Amino acid sequence: MHRLKNKRCVITGAGRGIGAAIARTFADEGAEVIVTDRLLKRAQNIAAEIGGIALELDVSQEAHWQQLASLYPHIDVLVNNAGITGFDDNLVAHDPEHATLENWRAVHAINLDGTFLGCRYAIQAMRKKGNGSIINISSRSGLVGIPAAAAYASSKAAIRNHTKTVALYCAQEGLNIRCNSVHPGAILTPMWDPMLGEGPERDKRLKAFVADTPLQRFGTPDEVAAVCLLLACDEASYMTGSEINIDGGLLAGSAVSPQQTENP
Ligand code: NAP
């Protein structure tokens, strides 16, 4: 099909998980993919697999974006995918009462500042052609409160709002640069490892995490990549400032919905 033929696409945090799936999907559709991650080796592995270009890029470092701009002053698609929960250190509390300022800032520096820097780079790198697509990976956690992950939820909510600001700004400037956000629910990637643990308890936790999800399972990185492909393509030319949930139906209902019992 090659729906992304002749398009240069940059993906952040693409060394594993959802970003790697997006890189594979875009390459399958004929894109020139620039696979970036803060760990160069990971980016190189995926780039070698798909015939892409690997680059070390820590999204929170302005100098890394400047380097990217000097190497690739023109692009067609940017996926701001890199993100962290901050849960790597299990000893740190993440609720609004006990979270440390250090942890709060560390999560925002990557999730939010990284997305801001990415959008700024992308607008400049798309301006000459006058068109392009910026895809910001937010989260279901950016749409609802998450008591156990205050910084993560706050950063993802801010990404949702900044997406709309970027979309409006580009439209005001007369640019056909679209900017949309994607809101995954629970997608099974290595990001979940600190929360799922190992051993026999892992299976129990896997089930518990999706017990309230109508589709009763985790999503896959490929399912998120398919939505990103749509947003990257020219077919989505009237979509900007939009948000797409991909959450197995989680946000469609409410825990207090009346249940149908026996006879209707
Ligand atoms: P993942 O498996 O942890 O992969 C993320 C990749 O980004 C890792 O290679 C990670 O490297 C890298 N990364 C972290 N900080 C970075 C930085 N400063 N600069 C560049 N790369 C960095 O996570 P994922 O599940 O694929 O998540 C991808 C995105 O989807 C994130 O924004 C996440 O918040 C969002 N999301 C995920 C889910 C889900 O259920 N998985 C749900 C909603 C939203 P390190 O290993 O070094 O950190």
Side-chain angles (χ1 to χ4, degrees), residues 5-16:
K5 197 170 172 222
N6 299 326
K7 290 201 192 290
R8 175 177 286 164
C9 305
V10 175
I11 305 160
T12 67
R16 71 178 196 191

Side-chain angles (χ1 to χ4, degrees), residues 155-222:
S155 67
K156 291 296 183 178
I159 289 171
R160 170 179 178 263
N161 189 274
H162 190 60
T163 299
K164 296 178 195 307
T165 295
V166 170
L168 294 180
Y169 172 78
C170 291
Q172 273 171 10
E173 291 285 298
L175 298 166
N176 187 25
I177 299 173
R178 300 177 292 104
C179 185
N180 296 287
S181 59
V182 174
H183 299 258
I187 309 297
L188 198 54
T189 68
M191 179 180 263
W192 280 86
D193 286 342
M195 295 168 268
L196 291 170
E198 286 171 4
E201 290 301 304
R202 185 179 166 94
D203 264 2
K204 271 194 212 156
R205 291 198 191 105
L206 266 171
K207 287 198 182 96
F209 272 117
V210 293
D212 291 335
T213 300
L215 292 188
Q216 290 283 303
R217 64 170 176 86
F218 274 79
T220 67
D222 284 346

